């Protein structure tokens, strides 16, 4: 077998030759090691990376591709954004500490990997899951549950903890021995980092956690607010995306204001104008702000004062705010809210 990276010295089994695994690859260390181990044992591996639309961190795709190149495996990049939104709106197994539906998410990802397994004529699916590493989705009962719910059953293999888990399909078929899997468990990454060093794997996203937007407290607060105000099923893909940007203020159950924090964000907010009121400042440097919901004239005036508080207008001088809604444009002259207005903290969502 071709040696594709430094440290791959194990002799692969003949029994594994010609057998194929589909690997869920996130660009992180654990899934990289799971792939490397399967390759080391002689299995062919096809990587699958799923984009949910909630990943944070730049260059993740590049990392996945670099890692796949390093391992010498093909990788398929799939968009599961719409399926994932359905799960975020109504998770069967509930949320974790934020608005993260981790169990449902794992089931969704494994079902997608199972579909790829069928398409590729592969024999089983591997993941980088580690027993006891994550409180919601990687304790023993959770691992069993997602294996069953995903329909993969014992065709789902977790090579990093395989020795600690019941025998799976490749083991039952005699393609590998129990001892070939690893027995890593818990939250420490020491053993994984040592293996990565030993095997010369460097192209992975550093294990810092927090790679999912749904684990972010500010985002979770905004999402919870939007679900309460509008109902989970009223939110479309754009609504979920808009929760990432700007300062968010809930003025009333029917009205929310979003204020850009800097120039780039102002440009992003302007792209979300359809269906919303857009506030801008024709005479002084100021933010772009959006108003969502069903604002009255009073609400728009209050939103204009709120946005003006973040403009360069002195707080004791009147300022002109342009309010656009489709083709309808009006100008309001308002006094900015004082920075110490106690309502600001009450209205603010997620900061
Ligand atoms: S943290 Fe996010 S991406 Fe990870 S399992 Fe949970 S919901 Fe899915």
């Amino acid at each position: 077998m071709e040696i594709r990276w430094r440290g791959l010295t194990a002799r692969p089994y003949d029994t594994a030759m010609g057998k194929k695994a589909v690997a869920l690859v996130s660009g992180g260390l654990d899934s990289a090691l799971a792939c490397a181990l399967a390759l080391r044992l002689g299995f062919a591996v096809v990587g699958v990376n799923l984009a949910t639309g909630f990943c944070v961190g730049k260059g993740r795709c590049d990392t996945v591709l670099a890692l796949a190149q390093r391992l010498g495996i093909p990788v398929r990049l799939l968009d599961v954004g719409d399926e994932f939104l359905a799960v975020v709106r109504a998770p069967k197994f509930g949320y974790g500490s934020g608005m993260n539906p981790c169990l449902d998410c794992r089931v969704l990802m494994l079902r997608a990997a199972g579909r790829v397994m069928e398409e590729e004529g592969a024999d089983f699916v591997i993941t980088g899951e580690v027993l006891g590493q994550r409180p919601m989705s990687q304790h023993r009962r959770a691992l069993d549950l997602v294996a069953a719910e995903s329909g993969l059953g014992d065709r789902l293999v977790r090579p990093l903890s395989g020795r600690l888990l019941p025998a799976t399909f490749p083991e039952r078929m005699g393609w590998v021995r129990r001892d070939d899997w690893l027995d890593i468990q818990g939250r420490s990454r020491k053993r994984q980092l040592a293996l990565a060093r030993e095997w010369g794997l460097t192209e992975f996203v550093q294990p810092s956690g927090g790679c999912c937007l749904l684990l972010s407290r500010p985002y979770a607060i905004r999402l919870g607010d939007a679900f309460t105000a509008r109902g989970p099923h009223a939110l479309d893909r754009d609504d979920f995306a808009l929760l990432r940007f700007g300062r968010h203020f809930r003025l009333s159950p029917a009205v929310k204001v979003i204020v850009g924090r800097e120039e780039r964000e102002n440009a992003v907010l302007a792209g979300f104008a359809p269906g919303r009121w857009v506030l801008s400042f024709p005479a002084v440097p100021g933010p772009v702000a959006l108003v969502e919901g069903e604002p009255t004239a009073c609400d728009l005036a209050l939103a204009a004062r709120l946005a003006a508080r973040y403009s360069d207008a002195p707080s004791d001088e009147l300022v002109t705010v342009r309010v656009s809604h489709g083709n309808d444009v009006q100008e309001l002259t308002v006094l900015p809210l004082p920075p110490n207005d106690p309502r600001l903290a009450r209205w603010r969502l997620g900061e």
Side-chain angles (χ1 to χ4, degrees):
M1 183 188 186
E2 184 189 349
I3 293 180
R4 298 192 180 96
W5 75 92
R6 184 164 63 84
L8 178 56
T9 53
R11 179 177 305 155
Y13 293 145
D14 291 342
T15 47
M17 301 298 258
K19 306 291 183 291
K20 196 192 276 185
V22 166
L24 273 181
V25 287
S26 62
L29 171 59
D30 293 341
S31 58
L33 288 173
C35 281
L37 182 55
L39 287 167
R40 201 176 153 86
L41 293 170
F43 295 106
V45 176
V46 177
V48 180
N49 179 262
L50 303 173
T52 61
F54 286 81
C55 297
V56 287
K58 294 191 180 95
R60 207 172 174 80
C61 252
D62 291 346
T63 309
V64 169
L65 293 173
L67 193 63
Q69 194 175 21
R70 177 79 159 183
L71 293 167
I73 62 170
V75 66
R76 288 175 58 175
L77 306 173
L78 304 180
D79 183 342
V80 291
D82 289 333
E83 285 173 77
F84 191 71
L85 285 189
V87 157
V88 176
R89 287 188 185 106
K92 181 173 171 186
F93 300 107
Y95 299 104
S97 57
M99 292 293 281
N100 48 309
C102 290
L103 286 177
D104 294 80
C105 170
R106 295 306 298 169
V107 171
L108 180 158
M109 291 189 173
L110 290 167
R111 282 185 184 153
R115 290 196 294 270
V116 175
M117 180 179 82
E118 300 281 327
E119 288 164 19
E120 293 280 341
D123 302 284
F124 59 100
V125 169
I126 59 175
T127 71
E129 288 164 304
V130 168
L131 183 63
Q133 188 179 80
R134 294 191 185 173
M136 186 177 182
S137 60
Q138 293 186 13
H139 57 80
R140 177 58 201 278
R141 266 186 304 125
L143 294 181
D144 291 348
L145 183 142
V146 297
E149 283 279 326
S150 65
L152 287 173
D154 76 347
R155 296 220 179 213
L156 174 57
V157 181
R158 283 93 173 198
L160 303 190
S161 296
R163 253 189 254 174
L164 307 169
L165 298 169
T168 50
F169 187 65
E171 217 176 305
R172 286 199 296 103
M173 298 302 287
W175 299 339
V176 288
R177 292 188 309 250
R178 167 138 285 251
D179 284 359
D180 294 317
W181 304 131
L182 301 177
D183 58 353
I184 301 176
Q185 65 177 315
R187 300 175 73 96
S188 166
R189 303 285 182 128
K190 273 190 191 152
R191 281 185 66 194
Q192 289 98 310
L193 287 166
L195 272 176
R197 271 195 303 276
E198 190 185 324
W199 292 350
L201 288 173
T202 51
E203 287 94 350
F204 54 82
V205 179
Q206 291 297 331
S208 56
C211 57
C212 174
L213 196 55
L214 294 165
L215 291 170
S216 140
R217 189 171 150 70
Y219 188 88
I221 290 171
R222 292 170 185 185
L223 183 57
D225 167 79
F227 280 2
T228 305
R230 298 171 56 190
H233 295 284
L235 269 59
D236 62 21
R237 222 165 158 155
D238 270 3
D239 294 317
F240 280 94
L242 180 53
L243 296 173
R244 287 172 181 241
F245 304 105
R247 304 177 181 92
H248 289 233
F249 300 89
R250 168 66 57 197
L251 266 51
S252 72
V255 179
K256 188 167 87 166
V257 181
I258 303 153
V259 182
R261 287 173 290 200
E262 32 83 22
E263 216 173 305
R264 191 193 64 89
E265 210 165 57
N266 289 341
V268 171
L269 292 191
F272 287 94
R276 299 177 174 88
W277 284 258
V278 182
L279 312 187
S280 58
F281 292 81
V284 295
V288 167
L290 301 175
V291 182
E292 282 188 347
E294 295 161 16
T296 61
C298 274
D299 293 327
L300 286 176
L302 187 56
R305 294 190 67 202
L306 170 58
R309 176 251 175 277
Y310 295 98
S311 75
D312 284 1
S315 58
D316 55 353
E317 285 181 21
L318 291 170
V319 61
T320 301
V321 182
R322 183 168 294 149
V323 181
S324 316
H325 188 228
N327 294 328
D328 202 17
V329 181
Q330 56 174 313
E331 289 194 346
L332 302 176
T333 305
V334 299
L335 197 62
L337 284 182
N340 59 355
D341 189 315
R343 290 174 297 179
L344 287 169
R346 220 170 50 233
W347 290 334
R348 194 129 178 189
L349 295 169
E351 275 169 81

